[in-house]
Amino acid sequence: METKYDGSLNLRSFFCFSGGLVSLDSLRTMKQLTIIRKIILENLKKDFVPFPINKKLCTKWADGLNIPEKGETVLYTSYMYQLAGIFKSYEALLPKIGALGGIQSLGSLGKLLVRPDRKDMERAGKILAGISQMLKDSSLDVCYLYEDEPYSGALLLELGMIREFREYGNRLSKFFEARGISRIITVDPHTLNALTRLREMSVLKVELNSYLDVIDMRRTTGLNKTYVLHDSCLYARYLGRRAVIREKLSQAGIELKEDNIVTGHDTSMCCGAPVGAVNRELSEKIAQARSSALLKVSDSILVACPLCYQNLAAFADDVKDIMEVIV
Amino acid sequence: MEKAINNNIPTVRTILENHKDLKAMADEVRRVKLNVLDNLDYYIDQTVKSVEKTGGTAHVAKTKGDAIRIVTELVGKRNNIILSKSNVALEVGVREHLTSIGKDVWETDLGEYILQIAEDSPSHIVAPALHFTKEQVGQLLNRNLDRAINENSTHEQMVASVREFLLSKYLKAEVGITGVNAVAADTGSVALLENEGNIRMVTILPSIHIAITGIDKIVPSLKDAMLETMVQSGYGGLYPPSYINITSGPSSTADIEFKRVVPATGPREFHLILLDNGRTIANEDPELREALLCIKCGRCYFSCPVYRALGKDWVKPPYGGPTGAMWAAIIDRDTFPANLCTHSGGCKEVCPVGINIPRVLEHIKEMSLGGAPATRSSPIEDTKSN
């Protein structure tokens, strides 16, 4: 029988229920990690994606945009915007998966399919279409791989599966080479970080850019808001994009409010998303603390990462991706 | 904790802004510590010989059990023991052991004293009782030390009350046990950094001074040891330090015909215990060895979202925060704390000695998958041939 989960989680309710308590059961956590690592690896081996997903739904955003399937420069979503909400749902499922008895049940887990939230998917589609349009407006011709697009492998890296990440990276590299792709434009920090690491490992040879590096900004009007920017840890402290994002936002006429500690280069905090698969309670406790700190600076929060959005939007009302305010 | 963070972060920034030479000193500390790690056996041997030249005794303890046995033998039948804050003593469990065999043992660092009477563990490497409010400390002192102190007492009244109690313990103490901030291999000297003045008492008043530390605390020279204490002080947010103590062997005098006599006014015996407890194995792992460069300033704690969420519950003391997540893998082979890292990267940005902590934790995550750490090839020979 196919197990389904409706994909909607009310994190605020959950947090109130758990009272912010974090269970640190190392045995349970390590067992859960073993299972999730196996699931991700099996799915990547089989289908180039970490979890069972509806690829058709994930590429729907490009319908009617006439983005070619072939080209040397690819707009690479790695399903991050489309799947950010689903990641959260899988986090909720993980303890249940663990309770199923671990690796013996892996075969049946292949049937697990989390349905994406319709609003989440529409929002992701608008953001990706916006990025696509801005690249076009910046005279950059890109292709899109539609349902052939592979996931970047970022989860392998972030879960410490370095050997597997490298091996998967080799597969990715061959895939891109076979497609004649020489330049990749990423849309999120986790993908850019993963591919950057593959380049450091001399696994990937292609040229890499974030869309933020290459889009020309146009001035937006009528916002009348001062935002606080929640930096993606990866963009700000690993990938050197902290100033780039601020410059782009400034060119677009977006006013940011800074705080020495809350938005400081070495003191701004994580949204908690990367630890969600390991310990959801901890992830949410970090998200709540981060949201609370950001809200003391401004009621309106900007993010540049779909995972940051998911975690922070659970605890703050006005959270927007930067693409939702500069388009 | 928020108060402490909001106090400490701007303070350290101001210190670093006003004393720009601290950055260069930190770079130098990294360089010399890497040199020691590349030649660890050589520097351990040199340190042992140098301590003996000063009239002290050096002991190399492979395990925590070895360290406990050495401490127990040195203490012998003596009963009155005072401690200054030592992470390695906590790692080994010195106080718990000595207390369990009936010794009268007292922590003299105020934070550690608070933890002792609360039967609690440290939440921060520099400020171990950070998780207590003033009111809670007042209640603790009321129950355990001084009925005149309560939650409404001032900070000053609380400190004065503990001071009076500890002074009586200093005067009776037969053995003083300290940690070490840095050990100079060339002179056998130990450098100790403090603000309270308790370490001076612990190192001078009892007839036996036992300093216990890890082999990772060895630096090539006395100058390097001074540098390391200054860097710890600056990046820890307490600069300039009230005191830096240098101890080279037991007390002595040559005031009569230049004949050296031991002891003089201070201790008659000085012992240095150098603990391994997983450090040598870590040094053989090219990625994990980076953690051995840590100078334990505690700055990374406040830049870490996991520490801010979990506090001392994240990692088994004494080492906590991001550095503790690394050190759990070294001293306990515990890879679980690293798996809670969110790779936010703030720790890497603020580390004075440039440890890429998230990358080390990523490696420990990989270790938790069961892979054996890679082995370096003849590091000593490599360096010496350069």
Side-chain angles (χ1 to χ4, degrees):
Chain A
M1 182 182 163
E2 184 170 304
T3 308
K4 289 199 176 181
Y5 187 76
D6 71 3
S8 62
L9 272 176
N10 186 335
L11 296 182
R12 287 185 189 193
S13 300
F14 174 81
F15 196 85
C16 291
F17 176 71
S18 68
L21 294 174
V22 179
S23 165
L24 292 176
D25 183 336
S26 59
L27 286 177
R28 191 192 73 184
T29 303
M30 296 311 272
K31 182 181 170 190
Q32 183 171 305
L33 264 173
T34 302
I35 293 167
I36 189 174
R37 281 168 169 149
K38 278 181 177 291
I39 292 172
I40 290 168
L41 202 56
E42 282 190 4
N43 279 286
L44 284 174
K45 277 180 184 169
K46 194 175 68 181
D47 204 21
F48 273 109
V49 287
F51 297 107
I53 59 168
N54 182 336
K55 288 187 177 179
K56 192 175 174 68
L57 202 58
C58 290
T59 60
K60 198 172 165 50
W61 66 271
D63 286 356
L65 296 182
N66 299 318
I67 309 174
E69 287 182 49
K70 291 182 179 174
E72 291 183 358
T73 301
V74 67
L75 171 60
Y76 182 48
T77 76
S78 190
Y79 302 103
M80 290 299 289
Y81 272 95
Q82 301 95 312
L83 297 184
I86 291 182
F87 283 147
K88 295 298 299 175
S89 302
Y90 271 115
E91 287 167 14
L93 266 180
L94 284 171
K96 296 180 175 68
I97 293 171
L100 288 175
I103 54 174
Q104 286 82 4
S105 59
L106 274 181
S108 62
L109 291 176
K111 293 177 184 171
L112 269 178
L113 184 64
V114 177
R115 290 176 303 191
D117 179 82
R118 189 175 54 84
K119 282 185 184 171
D120 272 356
M121 199 56 99
E122 283 175 5
R123 183 181 156 273
K126 281 183 188 167
I127 289 169
L128 293 172
I131 291 173
S132 168
Q133 185 60 46
M134 288 193 85
L135 292 172
K136 200 172 183 180
D137 293 347
S138 306
S139 304
L140 202 72
D141 294 327
V142 294
C143 66
Y144 176 51
L145 298 169
Y146 296 87
E147 290 181 41
D148 287 344
E149 181 177 80
Y151 173 68
S152 69
L155 267 172
L156 295 176
L157 176 67
E158 293 174 18
L159 290 171
M161 302 167 75
I162 310 302
R163 194 186 68 204
E164 292 85 351
F165 175 65
R166 185 190 291 270
E167 287 167 2
Y168 182 72
N170 276 317
R171 288 179 65 201
L172 270 188
S173 183
K174 284 175 188 160
F175 174 88
F176 288 128
E177 197 177 333
R179 291 291 184 118
I181 290 165
S182 58
R183 187 183 189 192
I184 294 175
I185 310 289
T186 63
V187 298
D188 74 283
H190 293 266
T191 304
L192 183 62
N193 182 59
L195 299 189
T196 300
R197 285 293 294 279
L198 289 176
R199 274 178 61 90
E200 282 174 26
M201 293 172 175
S202 301
V203 168
L204 196 66
K205 301 287 190 295
V206 297
E207 184 183 348
L208 271 182
N209 285 118
S210 161
Y211 77 96
L212 292 160
D213 302 333
V214 293
I215 53 170
D216 296 328
M217 299 304 298
R218 54 177 177 246
R219 202 159 182 85
T220 53
T221 54
L223 289 169
N224 295 323
K225 273 186 183 177
T226 301
Y227 291 90
V228 58
L229 175 65
H230 163 77
D231 278 295
S232 142
C233 296
L234 294 174
Y235 273 155
R237 288 183 283 268
Y238 291 76
L239 298 164
R241 300 303 201 283
R242 186 173 184 273
V244 173
I245 295 173
R246 280 166 173 73
E247 189 188 343
K248 296 288 178 187
L249 290 172
S250 171
Q251 287 169 1
I254 310 289
E255 194 180 334
L256 293 182
K257 193 171 178 191
E258 303 282 3
D259 176 273
N260 265 340
I261 292 177
V262 177
T263 62
H265 171 63
D266 45 5
T267 49
S268 69
M269 290 284 116
C270 175
C271 68
V275 78
V278 185
N279 188 315
R280 190 162 65 104
E281 293 159 12
L282 173 60
S283 173
E284 285 162 12
K285 188 168 186 181
I286 292 171
Q288 192 196 38
R290 181 60 179 156
S291 305
S292 171
L294 290 164
L295 289 171
K296 285 177 188 163
V297 182
S298 171
D299 291 336
S300 302
I301 300 170
L302 284 184
V303 296
C305 166
L307 301 184
C308 292
Y309 175 86
Q310 286 293 332
N311 257 33
L312 298 180
F315 298 102
D317 293 327
D318 188 9
V319 183
K320 285 195 166 49
D321 190 278
I322 57 174
M323 279 306 295
E324 293 178 286
V325 297
I326 62 179
V327 171
Chain B
M1 188 183 293
E2 285 307 307
K3 279 185 193 170
I5 289 168
N6 289 330
N7 284 332
N8 180 267
I9 289 173
T11 300
V12 176
R13 282 178 177 162
T14 303
I15 289 168
L16 298 180
E17 184 61 32
N18 292 340
H19 303 276
K20 291 194 164 55
D21 50 347
L22 280 167
K23 178 71 182 79
M25 289 186 212
D27 292 344
E28 179 65 2
V29 168
R30 178 182 171 89
R31 195 187 66 76
V32 301
K33 284 176 80 75
L34 270 175
N35 178 29
V36 171
L37 294 181
D38 284 340
N39 302 278
L40 192 54
D41 289 342
Y42 168 80
Y43 278 109
I44 291 171
D45 187 53
Q46 189 190 15
T47 303
V48 169
K49 286 175 180 163
S50 297
V51 169
E52 283 164 4
K53 275 186 200 164
T54 65
T57 308
H59 313 257
V60 179
K62 190 74 185 162
T63 65
K64 290 196 280 188
D66 292 344
I68 283 289
R69 191 170 59 252
I70 292 164
V71 170
T72 308
E73 284 171 7
L74 293 174
V75 168
K77 292 182 179 173
R78 297 171 190 86
N79 193 54
N80 299 304
I81 297 150
I82 49 177
L83 304 174
S84 70
K85 187 166 83 65
S86 162
N87 294 308
V88 174
L90 280 170
E91 176 185 334
V92 167
V94 168
R95 171 157 57 82
E96 289 80 355
H97 173 72
L98 292 176
T99 304
S100 74
I101 58 173
K103 307 295 183 186
D104 187 54
V105 190
W106 288 100
E107 298 279 0
T108 61
D109 174 87
L110 179 57
E112 287 293 345
Y113 172 77
I114 291 167
L115 296 181
Q116 182 177 5
I117 60 174
E119 298 181 2
D120 203 348
S121 55
S123 54
H124 189 273
I125 205 158
V126 174
L130 197 64
H131 53 295
F132 284 92
T133 63
K134 176 184 91 68
E135 288 71 25
Q136 289 169 326
V137 173
Q139 289 162 0
L140 268 173
L141 294 177
N142 180 278
R143 286 198 300 272
N144 294 281
L145 177 66
D146 185 350
R147 303 297 291 176
I149 299 292
N150 58 42
E151 63 269 29
N152 299 318
S153 301
T154 64
H155 294 80
E156 288 77 7
Q157 287 168 332
M158 294 179 194
V159 173
S161 177
V162 177
R163 180 178 187 272
E164 190 178 342
F165 168 75
L166 289 178
L167 279 171
S168 69
K169 295 296 174 187
Y170 291 132
L171 295 172
K172 278 179 23 187
E174 297 162 281
V175 180
I177 301 176
T178 69
V180 169
N181 290 87
V183 186
D186 64 342
T187 62
S189 310
V190 298
L192 281 157
L193 173 70
E194 62 161 330
N195 294 290
E196 295 181 18
N198 64 311
I199 291 182
R200 294 215 160 166
M201 300 290 197
V202 177
T203 57
I204 295 297
L205 289 174
S207 61
I208 298 178
H209 173 198
I210 302 170
I212 181 166
T213 193
I215 53 176
D216 55 294
K217 281 291 175 188
I218 297 172
V219 288
S221 71
L222 183 53
K223 177 191 157 202
D224 299 326
M226 289 298 292
L227 279 184
E228 182 163 344
T229 55
M230 289 167 76
V231 172
Q232 286 168 343
S233 173
Y235 283 81
L238 298 163
Y239 194 86
S242 299
Y243 310 101
I244 291 178
N245 305 284
I246 298 293
T247 299
S248 309
S251 65
S252 65
T253 180
D255 278 356
I256 303 173
E257 296 178 337
F258 267 105
K259 176 179 165 50
R260 189 163 181 241
V261 175
V262 175
T265 306
R268 70 173 64 240
E269 290 179 33
F270 171 77
H271 297 270
L272 174 64
I273 301 173
L274 292 165
L275 177 68
D276 188 321
N277 193 29
R279 290 161 173 85
T280 298
I281 293 171
N283 192 38
E284 290 168 357
D285 180 330
E287 288 168 273
L288 192 55
R289 77 194 299 246
E290 275 282 308
L292 298 172
L293 299 173
C294 175
I295 61 168
K296 315 287 190 322
C297 68
R299 196 180 180 209
C300 58
Y301 286 52
F302 295 150
S303 285
C304 176
V306 181
Y307 173 73
R308 287 170 72 153
L310 298 179
K312 68 189 177 73
D313 294 334
W314 182 13
V315 190
K316 180 183 154 195
Y319 311 109
T323 194
M326 297 191 294
W327 275 76
I330 294 174
I331 63 173
D332 292 324
R333 306 303 286 174
D334 181 5
T335 58
F336 170 66
N339 278 286
L340 299 183
C341 170
T342 63
H343 57 74
S344 76
C347 52
K348 171 177 62 118
E349 299 296 328
V350 301
C351 178
V353 290
I355 302 172
N356 190 339
I357 298 174
R359 192 61 71 88
V360 177
L361 295 178
E362 177 187 285
H363 175 63
I364 296 170
K365 286 180 191 177
E366 191 179 24
M367 285 168 62
S368 71
L369 297 170
T375 304
R376 290 168 60 81
S377 59
S378 308
I380 294 174
E381 285 73 13
D382 288 347
T383 303
K384 281 186 173 174
S385 63
N386 289 336

